[in-house]
Amino acid sequence: MPYCPDCGVEIGNAPACPLCGARNPRSTAAAEPDCPDTNEGDHPSRRQGFLGEVTEAESLTVFEKRKIAWEVLSVAFSIAIVALSLINILVAGKLSWSLYPVSAFFFVWVVATAFLVMGETSRLRYVLAILDMPIFLLALGLFTGDMSWAWRLAVPIAIFAEIVIAGVALSVRNAKRKGLNILAFILVGAALICLGVETFIDLFAFGKISLGWSAITAIALIPIAGFLIYLHYRVAKTTNLHRLFKL
Amino acid sequence: MAVDKSQRFIHTKQVDESGAWYSLDNAGVIMPAVTDEISSGLFRVEVSLDEPVDLVLLNHALAETANRFPYFNVNLKRGFFWYYLDQCHTSPQAFPDEGSPSQHWNINRRGTRMFRVRSLDNRIAVEFSHALTDGTGGMSFLKTLLVRYFALKGIEPGATIGEGEYSDIFPIETQPDKEEYEDGYQKHFPGKLPIPEPNPRAWHMRAPRLPSGQYRVITARLDLQAVLGEAKKRNVTITELLGAVYLDALQSLWLSEPKSPKDHFISVEIPVNLRQFFKTRTNRNFSLFILLRENMQLGARGFDELVKRAHYQMRLENDPRSIARQIARNAGGTRNLLVRVVPLFIKDVAARILFAKLGETMLSGFISNLGTLHLPPGIVPHLGSVAFVPAPSKTTLTNASVISWKDDLIVTFGSLTHSRELERLFFRRLRSLGLAVSVRCRDDEE
């Protein structure tokens, strides 16, 4: 069999070597290489788990992992609170500016406690999560020496936003078929929050409600949400189009 | 009774009034966004018979085989959030195997099947989109097609198919099991694991491209026992040996650059069949990859050193726990609600960016070893040569695939560039090891 003198590979009856283009001397066909540019140019605590052995740390339950996270967070926040308070007292002789970050740490810690430590069915979890933000805002009002903005503006907006978010979350959770409806729920929630924010700002600033930007936002979002709801519950259900909207 | 939510990700088939439709598997989900007429994502397996193919019988066998593999007889459709695969209601027909393989077949074009069967003279070839399946699934289809074709010609397989050694060859009268089209990545989703370490950008060969629509295939035949002997002598596998040869060729190309390239890593991707680690009967994609990498800033390495390093890199990465990290990252992404609610047109853009970052930019080329082709003894005498052609890539330009058949190891390079330097360096290295190499390029002979 013919071999390429350069590459040393057997090349059969090819007119040229497929690798370097050198002419095959034993081929009857003319060599027309189309490649002119051949440029030369065992840990004791380990035990069986998914994929074999796992460490003790990897085998912790979700609840145990969350509890560890909460504990780490608690210790870190405690250290930060103590340090901030001491520095504040050392510099100013009393607790003043440190109250803001300290109250923020408490706010985050309460939310973390509610969601990391308490069970999903615990009512206290949701009570804490709902009350945490208003109490934090009231505390800020207290520290600034003016409770009116907190009481009349911040707390109503916070409670209203929490109610809307809870409503959206429940709607998503209860939806039997999830698709475009989820996007619609979120758009409706966003529109409601905008309306609520402007309403409370108007009441606080002017004593009367005169909706402007939030109404425009809502007018833009609500029809889109309605169209998505229509697509999801009517079109995608009555025809086979639900495959189009599979999430 | 509580419904296991993970099942919705595993089982890809759904049926409505219009018929069946399927979700893409976790590996396939990115492919539609990154494939086009040239980088078609089509890999190919071809066989030559001992006589010209009877097209009537082939089309008959193809219709029956496609009916047995309904999850392959599909075309791509766009949903609002995801692509999906719609059942074709007609049987595929074999196309003439003229022109370049794996070209001019864009799955994004409306009504285009996710695979095609081609035939010319003695040759039968199947070309499958990687959005649909991997080499194992494609091979199962081809084997079933061949067995059915020969059965129609009155040639019996001479062994019981559908079980044992031939469990991937399905009797056409059987019904597909739902495990055949399950998403193996989702089935074996390991939960949250640390994401794999990022891979550096790899150097890519730069050379003039062939005219659009041309994909050159160079096939080399080596003696399987001789290659196995060489690998055993070095205490490595054939895949590790060939991976090192590939790295060696890339290293020579990198060093021959007139200016030191900005990207100083050369990297070869070795696809890994996950069925060896995780139990599944799926015929959809179920493979991931290992990267063999060398930092050229450390200087050129001798071939023996490259072989050793390829061996140890493979040994380190080719284990279920390392692979599971890739599964966790990839499958976890498509389970994430935030990802799911993103409309498809945005996902397409994100997929292209992801593919650029985590896909072909981190490899200089790949070499995919499909293993040994096992066919029933009744039809083996009627088959001649076999080849497994890699999917074309505009980024890496040239890639390689390997398959073993009878006493041969067949290495096939597919290239979109005029340059044959990579192939030349690769086979010259094999020759320097004392291995006899027989090379053909169909383009040159036709």
Side-chain angles (χ1 to χ4, degrees):
Chain A
M1 294 295 278
Y3 283 81
C4 170
D6 292 334
C7 302
V9 298
E10 187 270 308
I11 55 175
N13 291 321
C17 171
L19 301 178
C20 68
R23 191 169 181 275
N24 181 356
R26 291 170 66 176
S27 169
T28 50
E32 290 177 356
D34 69 346
C35 52
D37 55 337
T38 48
N39 51 329
E40 286 300 325
D42 282 346
H43 195 279
S45 66
R46 280 165 186 269
R47 55 193 169 88
Q48 286 299 112
F50 177 80
L51 302 174
E53 292 181 336
V54 292
T55 62
E56 288 293 348
E58 287 168 337
S59 66
L60 293 173
T61 64
V62 174
F63 180 71
E64 286 169 333
K65 285 179 185 171
R66 284 182 180 176
K67 209 168 172 185
I68 290 170
W70 175 81
E71 190 179 311
V72 171
L73 209 65
S74 302
V75 172
F77 281 6
S78 303
I79 292 167
I81 287 168
V82 170
L84 285 167
S85 304
L86 286 177
I87 292 167
N88 194 190
I89 290 169
L90 202 68
V91 174
K94 61 174 183 175
L95 288 173
S96 53
W97 54 264
S98 64
L99 291 170
Y100 300 106
V102 167
S103 59
F105 280 130
F106 269 113
F107 164 69
V108 175
W109 182 82
V110 171
V111 173
T113 304
F115 287 97
L116 293 177
V117 181
M118 293 176 179
E120 276 185 29
T121 52
S122 166
R123 285 185 186 174
L124 187 60
R125 174 193 221 188
Y126 297 103
V127 171
L128 274 180
I130 289 166
L131 292 180
D132 192 27
M133 177 60 87
I135 291 171
F136 171 59
L137 292 167
L138 286 173
L140 289 182
L142 190 68
F143 300 148
T144 56
D146 179 8
M147 288 288 283
S148 65
W149 68 266
W151 190 245
R152 289 176 50 213
L153 180 65
V155 172
I157 288 175
I159 292 174
F160 182 74
E162 285 179 344
I163 291 169
V164 172
I165 290 167
V168 170
L170 276 175
S171 304
V172 170
R173 189 178 166 184
N174 293 336
K176 284 182 182 170
R177 192 161 51 85
K178 294 181 175 64
L180 288 175
N181 53 343
I182 306 299
L183 210 55
F185 296 152
I186 293 168
L187 291 180
V188 170
L192 287 175
I193 288 176
C194 289
L195 289 168
V197 167
E198 190 171 22
T199 299
F200 290 116
I201 290 173
D202 281 358
L203 286 173
F204 178 73
F206 313 114
K208 62 173 186 176
I209 301 169
S210 173
L211 295 180
W213 61 269
S214 67
I216 294 168
T217 311
I219 288 168
L221 293 181
I222 299 292
I224 296 172
F227 181 65
L228 294 175
I229 293 281
Y230 162 74
L231 281 177
H232 183 81
Y233 288 105
R234 179 75 183 160
V235 180
K237 189 178 178 183
T238 53
T239 72
N240 297 317
L241 292 180
H242 76 266
R243 61 175 70 177
L244 286 179
F245 301 114
K246 180 185 176 288
L247 197 56
Chain B
M1 196 176 81
V3 178
D4 183 358
K5 283 185 180 175
S6 66
Q7 294 300 308
R8 62 175 293 197
F9 298 107
I10 297 168
H11 296 302
T12 59
K13 181 182 177 183
Q14 297 199 44
V15 180
D16 56 29
E17 295 95 319
S18 294
W21 58 282
Y22 302 83
S23 314
L24 277 82
D25 61 69
N26 187 254
V29 83
I30 200 169
M31 293 303 293
V34 297
T35 57
D36 54 32
E37 297 273 348
I38 297 167
S39 283
S40 61
L42 293 176
F43 64 89
R44 165 180 166 122
V45 188
E46 63 177 50
V47 296
S48 66
L49 312 188
D50 59 352
E51 60 179 18
V53 175
D54 183 329
L55 270 178
V56 175
L57 289 186
L58 177 64
N59 278 326
H60 192 157
L62 178 55
E64 290 180 332
T65 307
N67 198 39
R68 175 56 187 75
F69 289 80
Y71 46 90
F72 282 170
N73 192 20
V74 289
N75 59 69
L76 188 72
K77 290 276 176 71
R78 287 181 74 91
F80 188 80
F81 297 108
W82 297 102
Y83 289 99
Y84 66 94
L85 301 168
D86 196 17
Q87 187 79 68
C88 295
H89 299 291
T90 56
S91 298
Q93 296 279 303
F95 292 86
D97 193 22
E98 291 164 342
S100 290
S102 308
Q103 291 290 284
H104 292 307
W105 191 262
N106 189 346
I107 57 166
N108 289 297
R109 280 197 176 173
R110 197 176 177 81
T112 303
R113 270 192 180 77
M114 301 294 282
F115 74 98
R116 66 176 167 183
V117 173
R118 306 176 79 183
S119 178
L120 188 73
D121 302 333
N122 294 26
R123 191 165 66 232
I124 297 175
V126 292
E127 295 178 356
F128 272 91
S129 167
H130 256 307
L132 185 66
T133 185
D134 56 14
T136 305
M139 192 57 93
S140 174
F141 183 92
L142 175 63
K143 287 178 178 180
T144 305
L145 174 66
L146 287 173
V147 167
R148 191 60 199 147
Y149 172 80
F150 282 110
L152 290 172
K153 283 184 76 80
I155 299 166
E156 291 305 316
T160 309
I161 59 170
E163 58 187 58
E165 192 181 356
Y166 306 113
S167 59
D168 60 342
I169 304 173
F170 299 105
I172 53 133
E173 62 275 10
T174 57
Q175 290 298 312
D177 190 290
K178 66 179 183 180
E179 281 187 37
E180 289 174 34
Y181 44 81
E182 70 185 6
D183 186 334
Y185 304 97
Q186 296 291 359
K187 183 178 183 180
H188 295 284
F189 177 62
K192 200 170 180 188
L193 290 177
I195 60 167
E197 283 81 17
N199 292 299
R201 192 183 154 84
W203 170 81
H204 293 116
M205 177 172 54
R206 291 185 195 281
R209 285 252 300 271
L210 288 167
S212 177
Q214 285 189 24
Y215 185 50
R216 187 193 57 245
V217 173
I218 291 180
T219 303
R221 214 174 64 245
L222 294 97
D223 181 73
L224 178 61
Q225 287 309 317
V227 180
L228 195 59
E230 181 65 28
K232 275 187 177 168
K233 194 173 82 185
R234 296 166 179 272
N235 291 320
V236 299
T237 64
I238 288 180
T239 305
E240 289 162 0
L241 179 69
L242 295 178
V245 174
Y246 207 119
L247 274 175
D248 182 61
L250 287 172
Q251 176 177 260
S252 300
L253 287 176
W254 192 95
L255 291 169
S256 70
E257 290 266 26
K259 277 173 64 178
S260 182
K262 188 180 72 181
D263 298 313
H264 47 263
F265 280 94
I266 53 169
S267 177
V268 177
E269 181 188 273
I270 310 284
V272 176
N273 185 354
L274 300 186
R275 294 167 185 84
Q276 63 181 304
F277 298 127
F278 307 103
K279 192 173 180 296
T280 177
R281 292 179 59 210
T282 190
N283 274 329
R284 303 286 288 274
N285 283 299
F286 197 43
S287 52
L288 280 169
F289 59 85
I290 289 169
L291 287 177
L292 304 180
R293 194 166 49 224
E294 292 298 343
N295 186 344
M296 295 308 297
Q297 283 181 317
L298 302 178
R301 294 183 187 274
F303 180 68
D304 292 340
E305 198 181 357
L306 285 174
V307 175
K308 273 185 191 163
R309 289 175 57 81
H311 170 71
Y312 289 120
Q313 288 183 66
M314 283 286 284
R315 286 296 153 103
L316 273 175
E317 293 301 319
N318 195 19
D319 86 301
R321 205 174 294 197
S322 300
I323 297 283
R325 290 173 67 182
Q326 290 191 55
I327 298 179
R329 178 191 60 194
N330 300 351
T334 52
R335 285 176 173 232
N336 188 321
L337 185 64
L338 286 176
V339 174
R340 282 156 47 204
V341 298
V342 173
L344 183 58
F345 68 92
I346 299 174
K347 279 197 185 96
D348 275 347
V349 176
R352 287 182 198 117
I353 295 168
L354 262 180
F355 196 66
K357 291 275 178 202
L358 301 174
E360 288 182 329
T361 51
M362 63 183 187
L363 53 113
S364 312
F366 68 77
I367 182 163
S368 174
N369 189 351
L370 196 53
T372 305
L373 172 62
H374 288 292
L375 281 167
I379 66 171
V380 168
H382 300 283
L383 296 185
S385 63
V386 168
F388 173 36
V389 183
S393 160
K394 284 190 282 195
T395 309
T396 56
L397 296 177
T398 303
N399 295 300
S401 294
V402 184
I403 191 169
S404 305
W405 167 240
K406 293 182 179 171
D407 297 328
D408 293 332
L409 183 84
I410 298 122
V411 182
T412 305
F413 276 86
S415 180
L416 290 171
T417 172
H418 280 288
S419 171
R420 306 183 184 199
E421 192 61 5
L422 178 61
E423 293 94 319
R424 191 179 71 84
L425 290 164
F426 185 93
F427 292 120
R428 277 194 170 185
R429 171 58 69 190
L430 289 175
R431 280 289 302 127
S432 77
L433 299 177
L435 298 168
V437 184
S438 178
V439 181
R440 298 288 182 276
C441 176
R442 196 178 294 148
D443 294 354
D444 296 347
E445 295 172 14
E446 284 175 352

